[in-house]
Structure formats: structure tokens, C-alpha cells
């Protein structure tokens, strides 16, 4: 990745899986479908055959033009903790679906293959390979569903978060952390994916003990149920501010924003918080007629000497509603999107394609949105490169075989898969590899970038490294995805042979 944001750091070499303890809180389940397929492969001597598969983002939901790749932390846990305890073997044996030889194989199973992937936080486009796995044919089968699920869901959350952050135009975006509805491991994965995408969490960053800048903290919000528990709104505001004076946030839309909510918040700031040496941090209001109401509320707060009191808007449905509010001039310092990301949501459409078995290249359907409907035979072991123009903006992505030397060639020729008879030439461009070794011989080779650095890298790519018309919220322009001349030449040759 271009620029200093993606410099590899914090290398971590793990112990071989064979010597790790069988006591982990981060084990993921293997799907029954994958176990059944692996059992069939075992009976066909699949454990002896070497294979390679690649994980591809097939297509975008709605009108998304890009995705933020995430989920490598969970993939790392899956790699390190994929083993089967005696209890697991006993349960599988009781199902009477699996051969005794396969169960013995699972009892000794450790992943010994290798993986390469784009780094966490890389902005990718539909049709691109994002991860490759090499190992035994059974290894590939056992990992198939997990890779799709773990990276698909995390990438969906990270992308949705980045779209919200982009729509807010630099204003803070807060979401619920989801810890009440998820297990500890799932909540941690959710928080990290959402954080690197660009959103924040009430009361701090995705790590509860880490403090973000004061302007990005959502404060402690008074619940709406606090009002009916008191005589009136003013008394409720007063009591809450007395108990929680630091970084206090008052919901001013419990009755009427401009007639009671804002005036009562101003009185609480003047009569309760200022004598304590504090100031009201936030007022919170709903989305009805938000453009006019927020501007009037801002004027009232400024006239009362509360220019530092932020306005937080809640109740908007999605990133397009946020973008519309910003475009219409809403005076919002932050948006609270609630549980938009925390509830059940779809994952990106990831697919694991088997591209090579025992050195034999397999036919893989074309998944490019701008490609022809032909199923071009693939070359296996593909890698993703990014071509930058002289201004450091990505002009296209290149899919090529492993081993292409990056650099700044005077002239570089590629092929558009939708027009394989026509080449496209780039002059004085830089070609940067996006893949890096993630695991080798069953060991994790490279993980550990801090979420803060990944978050900054995502922002750098979206603000400076990619064309804005390719990453806009509505009707994005399709990013160019090209093939190397070698892959295209071999594919056409194989296609001619198959047609003959």
C-alpha cells in the first residue's frame, strides 16, 4: 500500500500449532457441511493432495463501490485454534456420519499450510481476490466457510462504518458497542471492525480503557425514562447533571426541542454545572426537521455562551440520511446511529474458489462486474497489485501471478478482462503489491497493526489514494480491475483449447 500508513509493524511469530495448549476461549466452529466434504475427500485420499484456493469478494450490496477488508484477527484465531479435542471427536463419532479413519485424522489435525492476504483495512473492489490459502485439499475444505464468514461479516461492518464516517463529513459518528447482544469474542470483533471503519463508541474508543480526544466522546446521555420519573423535564435535567456533571449529555427532544428542551438545558448549564466548574458537553435531539431545528438550537446555545456545547443528532436511518442532513446544513457536531451496526446484519458476498489441485489449474468463473460472461480458465496463485498515477491516486488494480516485481516502470501494459483483445498502457506509474504473507507452515507471520493505525490508513486511502467518484455513496464509478498480459494470454489459449 502506498504511503507510510501501511508500513508493516509489530511482527508476531506464533508457536507451531502442534505445541499449543488445547484451552482457548477463541475457538470457532467448523461447519458441518465442510466436515462432511472433508470426510469425503479423506476417503478419496484428499489429505495427500496439495491445493490452493482464493477468497474473492464477488459483488457489492446495494450500490456500494468499495469495501474495507477486515477480519484477519478472527482468521488468525481460527488458524491457531483449529483442533479437535477428545470431546469433539466423541460428539462427531456419535453422529455416525464420519469414518473412523477421518476421526483419527481430525484428532491429530493441525494446519500446516500458508496464507497470503491484503492487509487489514485495505480498500478493495468487487471481483478482486483478497486472500489465498495453500495447503492440503482437506485444509482448504475445512477453512472454506470460516474464511467467508469471518472476513465477510467484519468487512461489512468496517465498510458500513466507513460510509457513515464519510457521510458525516468529518463530524463524529457514534454507534452502540453491541456488547449486550453478542458474546465477548463477537463483541470485540465487532468493535474493532467498526472502529477501523471510522466510527466511535460512547464513552471512549473500542477498547474501554483507552480515551479518545474529548471532542469525539459521546458523553454520558441521560435516558429518556429519567423524565417521567421526575416532576418535569427541568427537574430531571437538574438531577442528572448534579449526579453526572462530567461530560453530561441531555436529550432535549423529550418534549419540545426549542420551547423547553434547549431553554432547560441552558438553565442547567448556568445554574447547576457552571457553579461546579463544569459545562454542558452535549445536547441530543431527534431527526425530525433536523436542518432547521438544529440551526435554531445552535443559535440559542451560542447566544447563551455555550458555543462549546455540541449538538448530537440521533434517529437517522443510514449513511444516506446522514449525508442529506449534512448537505442541507444541519448544525450537527456528531451523529448517534445507535445499534445500526450492532444488530444482525449481512456479510459481504465472499466466495472461496479452488484454483489449483496438485499443480493443475482449475476453471474459475469470472466474477468481474465489467467482464464478459465467459468462464475464463484461471491461472492459480493470483496476487493483487495497485497501480498509482503520478499524483499517488489509484488508477486501477491489477490481478497478476505471484512474482511480478513492483516499482515505477516507464511503461506498463495490462488487459481489461471485458476486452481481452485490447491492451491498456500506463506511463510513469507505480505498481504496489497489496498481498503479504499472513501465515506460513501453520504459523502466523504478520499481524499486530494497531487499530488506530489501520483506521488512519483507511481514511488515507479514501481521502487521498482513491478517486472520490469511485467511493461516493450513490452511483459510484466502477474501479478498473485489469489482468496481466500473461494471465490473459494463458486464459485465452486454454479457452481456445477447450472450445476445440
Amino acid at each position: 500500500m502506498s504511503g507510510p500508513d501501511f508500513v508493516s509493524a509489530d511482527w508476531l511469530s506464533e508457536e507451531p500449532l502442534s505445541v499449543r495448549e488445547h484451552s482457548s476461549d477463541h475457538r470457532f466452529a467448523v461447519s458441518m457441511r465442510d466436515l462432511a466434504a472433508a470426510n469425503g475427500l479423506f476417503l478419496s485420499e484428499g489429505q495427500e493432495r496439495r491445493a490452493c484456493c482464493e477468497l474473492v469478494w464477488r459483488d457489492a450490496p446495494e450500490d456500494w463501490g468499495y469495501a474495507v477488508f477486515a477480519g484477519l484477527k478472527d482468521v488468525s484465531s481460527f488458524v491457531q485454534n483449529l483442533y479437535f479435542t477428545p470431546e469433539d471427536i466423541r460428539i462427531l463419532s456419535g453422529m455416525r456420519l464420519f469414518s473412523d479413519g477421518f476421526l483419527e485424522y481430525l484428532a491429530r489435525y493441525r494446519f500446516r499450510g500458508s496464507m497470503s492476504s491484503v492487509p487489514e483495512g485495505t480498500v478493495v473492489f468487487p471481483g478482486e481476490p483478497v486472500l489465498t490459502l495453500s495447503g492440503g485439499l482437506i485444509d482448504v475444505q475445512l477453512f472454506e466457510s470460516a474464511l467467508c464468514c469471518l472476513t465477510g461479516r467484519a468487512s461489512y461492518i468496517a465498510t458500513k462504518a466507513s460510509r457513515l464516517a464519510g457521510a458525516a463529513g468529518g463530524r463524529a459518528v457514534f454507534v452502540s458497542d453491541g456488547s449486550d447482544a453478542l458474546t465477548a469474542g463477537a463483541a470485540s470483533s465487532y468493535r474493532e471492525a467498526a472502529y477501523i471503519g471510522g466510527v466511535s463508541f460512547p464513552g471512549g474508543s473500542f477498547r474501554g480503557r483507552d480515551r479518545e480526544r474529548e471532542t469525539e466522546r459521546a458523553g454520558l446521555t441521560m435516558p429518556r425514562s429519567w423524565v417521567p420519573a421526575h416532576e418535569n423535564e427541568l427537574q430531571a435535567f437538574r438531577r442528572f447533571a448534579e449526579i453526572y456533571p462530567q461530560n453530561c449529555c441531555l436529550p432535549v427532544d423529550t418534549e419540545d426541542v426549542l420551547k423547553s428542551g434547549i431553554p432547560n438545558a441552558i438553565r442547567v448549564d448556568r445554574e447547576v454545572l457552571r457553579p461546579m466548574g463544569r459545562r454542558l458537553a452535549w445536547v441530543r435531539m431527534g431527526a425530525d426537521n433536523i436542518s432547521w431545528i438544529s440551526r435554531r438550537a445552535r443559535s440559542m446555545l451560542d447566544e447563551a455562551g455555550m458555543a462549546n456545547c455540541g449538538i448530537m443528532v440521533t434517529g437517522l436511518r443510514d449513511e444516506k440520511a446522514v449525508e442529506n442532513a449534512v448537505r442541507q446544513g444541519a448544525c450537527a457536531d456528531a451523529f448517534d446511529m445507535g445499534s445500526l451496526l450492532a444488530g444482525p446484519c449481512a456479510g459481504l458476498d465472499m466466495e472461496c474458489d479452488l484454483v489449483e489441485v496438485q499443480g493443475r489449474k482449475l476453471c474459475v468463473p469470472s466474477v468481474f462486474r465489467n467482464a464478459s460472461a465467459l468462464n475464463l480458465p484461471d491461472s492459480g496463485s493470483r496476487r493483487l497489485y495497485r497501480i498509482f498515477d503520478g499524483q499517488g491516486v489509484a488508477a486501477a488494480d491489477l490481478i497478476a501471478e505471484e512474482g511480478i516485481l513492483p516499482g515505477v516502470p516507464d511503461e506498463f501494459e495490462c488487459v481489461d478482462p471485458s476486452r481481452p483483445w485490447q491492451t491498456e498502457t500506463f506511463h510513469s506509474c507505480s505498481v504496489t503489491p497489496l498481498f503479504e504473507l499472513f501465515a506460513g507452515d501453520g504459523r502466523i507471520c504478520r499481524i499486530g497493526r494497531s487499530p488506530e493505525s489501520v483506521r488512519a490508513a483507511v481514511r488515507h486511502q479514501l481521502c487521498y489514494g482513491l478517486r472520490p467518484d469511485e467511493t461516493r455513496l450513490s452511483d459510484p464509478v466502477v474501479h478498473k480491475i485489469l489482468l496481466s498480459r500473461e494471465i490473459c494470454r494463458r486464459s485465452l489459449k486454454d479457452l481456445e483449447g477447450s472450445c476445440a
Side-chain angles (χ1 to χ4, degrees):
M1 187 63 60
S2 100
D5 295 300
F6 264 106
V7 174
S8 298
D10 302 327
W11 288 51
L12 175 62
S13 292
E14 292 289 345
E15 300 174 357
L17 296 183
S18 58
V19 300
R20 295 183 65 82
E21 295 292 334
H22 286 191
S23 57
S24 172
D25 294 329
H26 302 286
R27 296 181 64 201
F28 293 90
V30 179
S31 76
M32 189 59 61
R33 186 199 69 175
D34 288 343
L35 281 172
N39 179 64
L41 291 172
F42 178 86
L43 296 176
S44 304
E45 299 182 351
Q47 74 275 19
E48 303 296 335
R49 289 184 282 174
R50 306 298 294 173
C52 175
C53 74
E54 66 181 19
L55 186 67
V56 177
W57 176 28
R58 289 177 52 85
D59 202 1
E62 303 170 0
D63 56 355
W64 290 15
Y66 73 92
V68 177
F69 181 69
L72 286 182
K73 184 176 180 180
D74 287 339
V75 172
S76 171
S77 295
F78 187 83
V79 169
Q80 297 175 74
N81 297 293
L82 182 56
Y83 55 80
F84 297 86
T85 65
E87 179 65 13
D88 296 332
I89 300 300
R90 185 190 67 79
I91 293 174
L92 292 175
S93 177
M95 294 180 180
R96 301 185 182 279
L97 295 174
F98 308 103
S99 66
D100 292 340
F102 179 64
L103 294 177
E104 293 176 4
Y105 171 82
L106 291 183
R108 303 188 304 271
Y109 178 81
R110 299 295 183 274
F111 176 66
R112 298 296 184 185
S114 61
M115 289 186 190
S116 295
S117 76
V118 299
E120 187 97 356
T122 302
V123 175
V124 296
F125 299 91
E128 294 184 333
V130 294
L131 181 148
T132 61
L133 181 151
S134 299
L137 191 54
I138 291 182
D139 291 326
V140 171
Q141 186 61 63
L142 290 176
F143 276 71
E144 178 180 347
S145 297
L147 290 179
C148 293
C149 178
L150 296 176
T151 61
R153 179 169 173 80
S155 298
Y156 182 96
I157 294 171
T159 307
K160 190 75 170 177
S162 76
R163 288 168 61 85
L164 286 169
R171 298 162 181 80
V173 178
F174 298 102
V175 296
S176 300
D177 63 10
S179 59
D180 293 338
L182 303 172
T183 64
S188 176
S189 300
Y190 158 79
R191 291 171 71 87
E192 182 161 340
Y195 179 80
I196 67 176
V199 302
S200 304
F201 298 93
S205 69
F206 78 99
R207 297 174 180 172
R209 62 181 181 275
D210 294 339
R211 294 174 59 88
E212 293 183 344
R213 292 175 300 177
E214 191 68 20
T215 55
E216 290 189 356
R217 300 192 67 216
L220 184 61
T221 302
M222 188 194 89
R224 294 178 181 275
S225 59
W226 194 268
V227 174
H230 295 75
E231 291 184 5
N232 53 52
E233 183 184 67
L234 178 60
Q235 186 188 54
F237 282 6
R238 283 180 177 277
R239 186 56 180 159
F240 190 84
E242 290 170 352
I243 299 174
Y244 305 108
Q246 184 176 3
N247 210 31
C248 180
C249 176
L250 298 178
V252 295
D253 58 350
T254 55
E255 295 181 6
D256 186 285
V257 174
L258 300 180
K259 292 182 179 180
S260 64
I262 293 295
N264 285 336
I266 292 174
R267 287 189 61 182
V268 168
D269 178 78
R270 182 175 62 247
E271 299 174 5
V272 178
L273 293 174
R274 291 190 196 186
M276 301 172 66
R278 302 286 187 181
R279 299 302 300 271
L280 185 62
W282 296 93
V283 293
R284 175 186 172 109
M285 62 184 68
D288 293 339
N289 199 14
I290 193 60
S291 298
W292 182 82
I293 291 179
S294 64
R295 289 197 296 268
R296 182 63 187 135
R298 180 75 274 164
S299 177
M300 295 170 66
L301 292 171
D302 291 346
E303 291 173 0
M306 298 172 62
N308 291 329
C309 179
I311 295 178
M312 185 182 305
V313 173
T314 184
L316 297 177
R317 299 184 305 276
D318 53 27
E319 61 268 30
K320 292 184 179 180
V322 173
E323 185 182 46
N324 288 336
V326 172
R327 186 185 297 116
Q328 293 168 10
C331 287
D333 300 289
F335 295 94
D336 187 348
M337 304 305 294
S339 59
L340 180 64
L341 301 181
C345 66
L348 292 186
D349 183 14
M350 296 287 191
E351 181 174 73
C352 244
D353 291 326
L354 194 63
V355 297
E356 184 177 334
V357 176
Q358 288 293 90
R360 179 172 61 90
K361 314 299 182 184
L362 303 179
C363 180
V364 178
S366 172
V367 292
F368 296 110
R369 289 189 297 176
N370 59 344
S372 67
L374 296 176
N375 291 343
L376 297 180
D378 200 87
S379 62
S381 301
R382 305 189 303 179
R383 293 293 184 267
L384 188 62
Y385 299 80
R386 187 148 289 169
I387 302 174
F388 293 93
D389 60 20
Q391 285 72 45
V393 178
D397 283 1
L398 172 68
I399 297 177
E401 287 185 326
E402 186 177 9
I404 285 186
L405 295 177
V408 187
D410 294 331
E411 188 174 286
F412 194 81
E413 287 190 350
C414 308
V415 179
D416 188 332
S418 64
R419 297 185 297 273
W421 57 87
Q422 181 178 338
T423 62
E424 185 162 349
T425 304
F426 295 89
H427 299 276
S428 300
C429 62
S430 61
V431 183
T432 303
L434 297 188
F435 269 62
E436 63 183 22
L437 185 64
F438 175 67
D441 295 327
R443 303 183 183 201
I444 302 301
C445 302
R446 182 181 294 182
I447 61 172
R449 290 189 180 92
S450 69
E452 290 78 11
S453 67
V454 176
R455 178 181 171 118
V458 172
R459 180 174 176 80
H460 174 81
Q461 293 171 84
L462 294 175
C463 292
Y464 307 108
L466 295 165
R467 290 171 46 186
D469 58 350
E470 295 177 346
T471 58
R472 63 193 179 197
L473 295 185
S474 300
D475 194 24
V477 173
V478 176
H479 183 73
K480 284 185 179 179
I481 305 175
L482 306 175
L483 299 177
S484 68
R485 297 181 63 184
E486 292 74 15
I487 283 184
C488 192
R489 186 183 301 114
R490 182 181 300 107
S491 297
L492 291 175
K493 182 179 179 181
D494 292 344
L495 183 61
E496 291 173 358
S498 63
C499 292

